[in-house]
Amino acid sequence: MPESSPETHVIDFRAAEQLLAARDPRGAIRLLDSVITAHPENTAARLLRARAFFLSAQLRPAELEFQIVLEREPDNAFAHFALGRTLERADRAEEALRHFRLAAALEPRPEFIEAARFAPGTGTGHQDRNRPDGDPGNAE
């Protein structure tokens, strides 16, 4: 097995981004595990791994990763939105709504505002729309 270095971790991170874009979240997770083991403070890698967990329907690990990101960056609107989608998918709509509202308050993007208007129990959920598989920076 090749020796790990900061350069190989960058390569693995970029390759994981490509795997996620190609809809191979499990492959992305495998690459990101070694990056996060070597750099547990790397919030970008954790956010990418959380998205990969979500896309592979591993909701509990996704939730935990999004929470770690939010502990470090409580003003990360995308992480709040993505955690909301994760909780919504896990049938925890009340908890999800809190994060949707925080996301909309932090960054009033249309998809965040729409999710924040969701009223649990009304049958107007937005299941699987605006999933946290997009790049949070592509709204501009």
Side-chain angles (χ1 to χ4, degrees):
M1 186 165 170
E3 191 173 318
S4 284
S5 70
E7 292 81 15
T8 60
H9 296 141
V10 170
I11 292 167
D12 286 347
F13 178 84
R14 296 295 178 213
E17 287 179 316
Q18 294 300 314
L19 286 171
L20 200 57
R23 298 287 190 208
D24 181 3
R26 292 184 186 275
I29 292 166
R30 281 190 297 276
L31 289 175
L32 291 166
D33 285 345
S34 65
V35 173
I36 292 171
T37 297
H39 305 281
E41 74 290 348
N42 188 317
T43 303
R46 288 192 176 275
L47 187 58
L48 190 62
R49 186 166 71 169
R51 290 174 44 214
F53 280 136
F54 179 88
L55 287 173
S56 65
Q58 297 180 59
L59 300 181
R60 185 63 181 149
E63 178 185 351
L64 294 173
E65 285 292 343
F66 286 128
Q67 288 174 341
I68 289 170
V69 169
L70 288 170
E71 285 174 11
R72 296 174 184 176
E73 297 179 4
D75 61 344
N76 187 319
F78 178 79
H80 278 291
F81 175 75
L83 178 55
R85 285 289 178 232
T86 303
L87 295 167
E88 179 182 54
R89 195 168 172 190
D91 292 325
R92 294 164 56 195
E94 291 290 336
E95 293 172 77
L97 184 57
R98 176 180 175 270
H99 290 283
F100 290 148
R101 288 180 175 161
L102 284 167
L106 289 165
E107 188 176 325
R109 290 170 46 177
E111 64 269 26
F112 296 177
I113 293 169
E114 181 183 342
R117 291 183 179 142
F118 167 65
T122 64
T124 60
H126 308 292
Q127 297 289 348
D128 292 327
R129 292 194 332 179
N130 302 315
R131 297 180 340 191
D133 55 355
D135 179 6
N138 65 4
E140 298 170 323

